[in-house]
Amino acid sequence: MKKLFGRKIGMTQLFDTNGKAITCTIIQAQPNLVLENKPNNSIKIGYGETKENKLNKPEVGVFKKIGVNVRKNIRTLSNVEGNYKPGDEFGVEIFKPGEYVDVQGITKGHGYTGAIKRWNFKIGCLSHGHGYPHRWQGSLAFGRGGNAPQRVYKGKKMHGRYGHETVTIQNLNVVTIFPEQNLILIKGAIPGPEGSLVVIKTSFKKANQFETFNIITKEIQKTIESLNLSFEDKDFAKVVNDEVEKEQIIEETKKEIEKEENK
């Protein structure tokens, strides 16, 4: 399984040759530096260059042992295909346009929220005399004594911390790749705010499937503009030819009239 560590930049939209808008998420995946090989095809990588004073001495020693510049983030990727050695780098070139991928990230944190926002519960009555019950959760439906439990079941939907969870979005499509800028554009939205770290990996359900897009790039736009100019030139040439043909017809008719008069 191919895996790549990157950072979410934002979202944009592209257009295909049919004029359809494609919503994309921009991910900047700088070259992942291999630091260590681990069992079960796992590797430890470093991502994001930074200064040495931003890390502690044990972390700096890991990079000095290999003889490379320090990285800000250190992560472990499990079940990675490929024979990598410490010091090797890999980037967006491992993926191809049209390939399906899964993107894993941490969702936006909303803090401590009520049950209505957290679980989309129905609000209470808004009429006069009810006080302020319309944002309350309501009864927990647990009795007193007897066979009723004297506790709250685990997993009960209540108020609490909302968001900041690890979520994986499956079956996303790679629209295009810009290796020079270390950018990869993926169709659709991925979890996390702008600037958050994400993991791009081969799709679990659609590993060998492809869906390519005919994106209007700068080169295609230039060719379209050049074709438009050529079409205009052709139309202008047709008009010129028509005018020339008219003049030729007029001259031929005049010559025929003169011949008849001379006779």
Side-chain angles (χ1 to χ4, degrees):
M1 180 180 292
K2 296 182 291 186
K3 292 186 178 182
L4 184 65
F5 202 67
R7 186 179 297 276
K8 180 180 177 180
I9 301 299
M11 298 192 70
T12 184
Q13 63 178 1
L14 301 176
F15 293 90
D16 60 3
T17 54
N18 297 323
K20 183 180 179 181
I22 302 173
T23 304
C24 303
T25 302
I26 306 173
I27 299 177
Q28 184 180 21
Q30 297 178 358
N32 291 189
L33 176 63
V34 180
L35 302 177
E36 181 184 352
N37 288 326
K38 291 188 172 185
N40 299 326
N41 296 328
S42 298
I43 58 175
K44 181 186 288 186
I45 65 167
Y47 179 81
E49 295 185 0
T50 185
K51 298 179 181 179
E52 291 187 5
N53 58 3
K54 300 295 183 180
L55 305 177
N56 54 32
K57 290 185 178 180
E59 292 175 344
V60 174
V62 174
F63 297 98
K64 286 186 176 181
K65 184 178 179 180
I66 305 175
V68 296
N69 296 329
V70 298
R71 299 294 193 273
K72 183 178 180 180
N73 302 291
I74 299 176
R75 295 290 189 274
T76 300
L77 299 177
S78 60
N79 192 17
V80 179
E81 65 180 21
N83 297 323
Y84 295 106
K85 299 179 181 179
D88 294 345
E89 291 182 345
F90 57 93
V92 296
E93 65 276 359
I94 63 175
F95 293 103
K96 299 179 180 179
E99 186 176 359
Y100 281 94
V101 295
D102 298 338
V103 182
Q104 181 180 358
I106 299 177
T107 59
K108 295 181 180 180
H110 297 265
Y112 194 91
T113 61
I116 293 175
K117 180 178 180 181
R118 191 183 183 192
W119 301 109
N120 197 23
F121 284 173
K122 186 178 180 180
I123 64 175
C125 185
L126 299 177
S127 61
H128 178 70
H130 286 274
Y132 192 73
H134 51 274
R135 301 294 297 184
W136 293 0
Q137 181 176 351
S139 175
L140 299 178
F142 294 112
R144 300 179 180 179
N147 295 327
Q150 303 301 309
R151 60 185 177 86
V152 178
Y153 284 130
K154 186 177 181 180
K156 176 68 176 177
K157 293 183 178 180
M158 300 176 65
H159 47 77
R161 191 180 68 178
Y162 174 48
H164 198 71
E165 298 176 345
T166 302
V167 176
T168 301
I169 305 298
Q170 295 181 330
N171 304 330
L172 300 177
N173 192 268
V174 178
V175 178
T176 183
I177 296 173
F178 300 98
E180 297 178 356
Q181 292 83 12
N182 297 323
L183 296 177
I184 178 170
L185 274 66
I186 297 177
K187 182 182 179 181
I190 64 174
E194 295 181 1
S196 60
L197 300 176
V198 297
V199 178
I200 309 170
K201 49 189 175 182
T202 305
S203 177
F204 181 77
K205 297 180 180 179
K206 297 183 179 181
N208 298 322
Q209 299 183 19
F210 289 86
E211 182 182 355
T212 57
F213 298 91
N214 296 324
I215 302 299
I216 298 180
T217 59
K218 290 183 179 180
E219 292 77 10
I220 297 176
Q221 189 174 1
K222 289 181 180 179
T223 56
I224 292 174
E225 290 177 355
S226 64
L227 290 173
N228 289 334
L229 291 175
S230 65
F231 287 147
E232 291 177 357
D233 293 339
K234 288 181 180 179
D235 294 336
F236 181 73
K238 289 181 180 179
V239 173
V240 173
N241 291 331
D242 292 338
E243 292 179 354
V244 171
E245 289 179 356
K246 288 180 181 179
E247 292 179 355
Q248 290 178 356
I249 293 171
I250 292 170
E251 290 180 357
E252 290 179 357
T253 52
K254 286 181 179 180
K255 290 180 179 180
E256 291 180 355
I257 292 170
E258 291 179 355
K259 288 181 180 180
E260 290 180 355
E261 289 178 353
N262 294 327
K263 291 181 180 178

